[in-house]
Amino acid sequence: MAKAATALKRNGFAVVERAVSPEAADELRCEIEELRDQKLMYKNATHVVSREGTKQYLEKSMIFEWDSMHPGWQASTSTIPNLNAIHKDLTLCNGISKTIEELELTSQTLKMQYNAGLGGCFPIHFDTDAGLDARAVTAILYLNKHWKPGDGGEIVLYPWPQEIVKIEPRSERMVMFSSANMPHRVMPSAVQRYCLTLWLSKARSNPDSGKETEKKAVQEVLRGGDKPSADTMLQPACRRLLSKMMLSEEWSRSIEEAHEPGVARDMALHNHFHNVNVLAKIFKKSLPALHEENYLRELRARARGHLLWF
């Protein structure tokens, strides 16, 4: 675990092969199938709010979930003993905290996911905001015994300004990454896909820290003129904003791929493009430099092993 935690701190993500035995993976997948067959799992959905305050419910029609925060969780645990044991086992929290001491991980929540295939996927997103809640590390365990190239469902990480990382959802493989600072998505899956997610949380969060840190980061960029220093541009709060702007086209395509056409999807796309336009105005002075290969090369060189993720 120390090796994986070191990679997580350095790169913002880590991949652990054979995180569980093949037998354990089979048992976990069977328990998710039991939840599915009992029709306990619900469709993944998010609330989208327009600039005027109108709310829409945006579903992913092929993604079904069950989680340890659901009111019916306790009643279901007798049929999913292995999943419940993972939920209660803080070994991963403790192991990561020993290496990344500043995290002080103390609790976790568990989500089970069944992707019915037929193109089921997720758009690019962050799992949380720094000031929203205490989640710090996302750990996804894949349970797809017969996955093969062409089946889809890969997770894609976007550690901007570094290269995109695509990871196959092979059984027994665990992928961990920064919940607040690693943009990621799930590619369309052509086949049924199973996984479980652990969100590892710190002891506490500061609800005001996210916006205040973001404000300070933007102010530093503006003071930097046409070409702010690499250290200024690579602050976590700044990278969150810049990644959304620099990945704008791929981000919008991922929203379209993950949701059925309709009012809710249109609202999500409208919000996305509005936010990108606002960011383009904020970073107006430095935007030309962000499209210069030499400047991007400088950012990437500085980013290697020096980014803060937590």
Side-chain angles (χ1 to χ4, degrees):
M1 180 50 63
K3 183 177 180 181
T6 299
L8 177 64
K9 181 175 182 177
R10 177 181 175 85
N11 304 318
F13 75 95
V15 180
V16 180
E17 304 292 356
R18 296 180 293 281
V20 298
S21 69
E23 294 77 17
D26 288 344
E27 291 173 350
L28 293 167
R29 186 180 63 257
C30 287
E31 290 185 359
I32 295 177
E33 290 173 336
E34 180 68 19
L35 291 170
R36 178 200 62 194
D37 294 344
Q38 290 184 19
K39 301 189 184 305
L40 290 174
M41 304 185 88
Y42 51 86
K43 285 185 180 179
N44 175 282
T46 53
H47 286 94
V48 183
V49 183
S50 71
R51 304 296 301 174
E52 296 76 29
T54 304
K55 295 181 180 180
Q56 290 286 336
Y57 202 55
L58 185 60
E59 286 188 345
K60 300 174 185 67
S61 60
M62 294 296 158
I63 310 294
F64 299 85
E65 299 175 333
W66 185 247
D67 68 84
S68 60
M69 299 297 289
H70 192 280
W73 168 260
Q74 196 57 45
S76 72
T77 55
S78 61
T79 60
I80 51 171
N82 295 290
L83 288 166
N84 191 40
I86 285 180
H87 172 234
K88 293 181 176 181
D89 186 352
L90 294 178
T91 300
L92 189 60
C93 274
N94 296 335
I96 293 174
S97 294
K98 285 181 179 179
T99 300
I100 312 178
E101 296 179 358
E102 61 268 28
L103 285 183
E104 298 182 17
L105 301 171
T106 59
S107 64
Q108 61 192 29
T109 54
L110 174 65
K111 180 181 75 175
M112 289 67 67
Q113 187 181 99
Y114 164 65
N115 185 330
L118 301 175
C121 61
F122 278 79
I124 302 175
H125 65 285
F126 297 94
D127 276 354
T128 189
D129 293 334
L132 183 63
D133 56 47
R135 285 181 291 175
V137 177
T138 300
I140 303 176
L141 176 64
Y142 295 105
L143 308 168
N144 307 300
K145 188 173 183 178
H146 301 296
W147 189 92
K148 61 184 184 301
D151 286 346
E154 300 93 342
I155 188 169
V156 184
L157 309 178
Y158 299 85
W160 189 89
Q162 300 180 99
E163 296 299 318
I164 294 170
V165 180
K166 182 184 283 190
I167 304 169
E168 299 171 342
R170 295 184 179 275
S171 192
E172 304 133 48
R173 173 177 286 168
M174 177 178 283
V175 178
M176 301 186 293
F177 52 87
S178 169
S179 302
N181 295 312
M182 181 63 78
H184 60 284
R185 69 164 301 189
V186 174
M187 298 301 292
S189 183
V191 299
Q192 294 181 351
R193 177 183 181 275
Y194 299 86
C195 69
L196 60 85
T197 299
L198 281 168
W199 279 302
L200 314 182
S201 297
K202 297 177 288 186
R204 58 191 178 278
S205 64
N206 181 351
D208 299 322
S209 65
K211 290 298 181 183
E212 188 61 32
T213 302
E214 185 178 286
K215 181 180 178 180
K216 290 179 180 179
V218 168
Q219 289 173 342
E220 284 190 40
V221 170
L222 295 178
R223 287 196 294 268
D226 295 346
K227 290 187 178 181
S229 70
D231 287 343
T232 296
M233 297 295 266
L234 296 176
Q235 297 174 81
C238 194
R239 293 203 318 272
R240 280 180 59 94
L241 299 175
L242 288 171
S243 62
K244 191 156 195 174
M245 185 174 66
M246 300 304 290
L247 297 167
S248 175
E249 291 186 11
E250 187 165 353
W251 205 300
S252 64
R253 284 197 302 271
S254 74
I255 293 173
E256 292 176 341
E257 290 176 353
H259 307 101
E260 298 290 338
V263 174
R265 190 180 80 170
D266 290 345
M267 188 181 293
L269 287 167
H270 176 79
N271 287 350
H272 167 72
F273 288 121
H274 172 81
N275 291 338
V276 169
N277 287 335
V278 170
L279 291 172
K281 291 177 181 178
I282 292 174
F283 293 102
K284 182 179 179 180
K285 286 186 178 181
S286 53
L287 193 56
L290 289 168
H291 292 283
E292 293 178 10
E293 187 55 40
N294 287 341
Y295 186 62
L296 284 174
R297 192 179 297 116
E298 177 187 343
L299 291 180
R300 293 186 186 116
R302 179 60 180 160
R304 294 190 189 99
H306 295 283
L307 295 183
L308 293 176
W309 293 99
F310 303 102

